[in-house]
Amino acid sequence: MLHLLRLEYTGSEQAAEPHVAGHVAFLERHHAAGTFVLSGQTIPSSEGGLIIAVGVDRQGAEEIAAEDPFVKAAVARYRITTIAPGRTHPSLAALLGGRITPRPDDRAPSGDHGHDDQRQAH
């Protein structure tokens, strides 16, 4: 499972400034542990940031988000979207436990044309 953690400021970006060092340490700790595979600010930065987390269940992602110094200081909150990847680029296989999208010639039987139900389309 993948989790998209969307950080949103609850007030101004300036209100979060005193907590940036703690937030960066939080990011570095979870990157070093392998849980965060990508993090960055949005453009414009006033909208917050985004983290992609792997290797934990939904509850684990929620618990990690609650540890962020921005959240503890009530200057930001997270919206978490959990994804069960249906299609991936082969270069992401190691991050997803070896799961990759089949080659086009390995997909659906004749007549199906590779169409999945709506749940898997995203």
Side-chain angles (χ1 to χ4, degrees), residues 5-21 23-24 27 40-51 68-79:
L5 287 73
R6 171 77 184 215
L7 178 78
E8 300 172 337
Y9 295 117
T10 56
S12 71
E13 188 176 5
Q14 292 73 28
E17 285 180 11
H19 310 283
V20 169
H23 174 71
V24 170
L27 294 173
Q41 288 185 312
T42 58
I43 299 173
S45 62
S46 60
E47 293 179 5
L50 184 74
I51 298 168
D68 188 330
F70 281 172
V71 172
K72 288 183 173 183
V75 296
R77 66 175 170 256
Y78 281 96
R79 294 183 189 262

Side-chain angles (χ1 to χ4, degrees), residues 24-113:
V24 170
F26 161 82
L27 294 173
E28 289 175 352
R29 185 172 66 253
H30 289 287
H31 273 285
T35 306
F36 292 174
V37 295
L38 181 143
S39 63
Q41 288 185 312
T42 58
I43 299 173
S45 62
S46 60
E47 293 179 5
L50 184 74
I51 298 168
I52 298 177
V54 298
V56 295
D57 61 13
R58 173 64 182 237
Q59 181 178 346
E62 291 172 356
E63 290 170 358
I64 289 169
E67 295 172 3
D68 188 330
F70 281 172
V71 172
K72 288 183 173 183
V75 296
R77 66 175 170 256
Y78 281 96
R79 294 183 189 262
I80 301 173
T81 303
T82 299
I83 300 169
R87 293 172 188 83
T88 60
H89 190 276
S91 65
L92 296 175
L95 293 175
L96 301 174
R99 179 180 174 161
I100 61 170
T101 299
R103 295 187 319 254
D105 58 338
D106 291 342
R107 287 196 181 159
S110 178
D112 188 4
H113 305 292

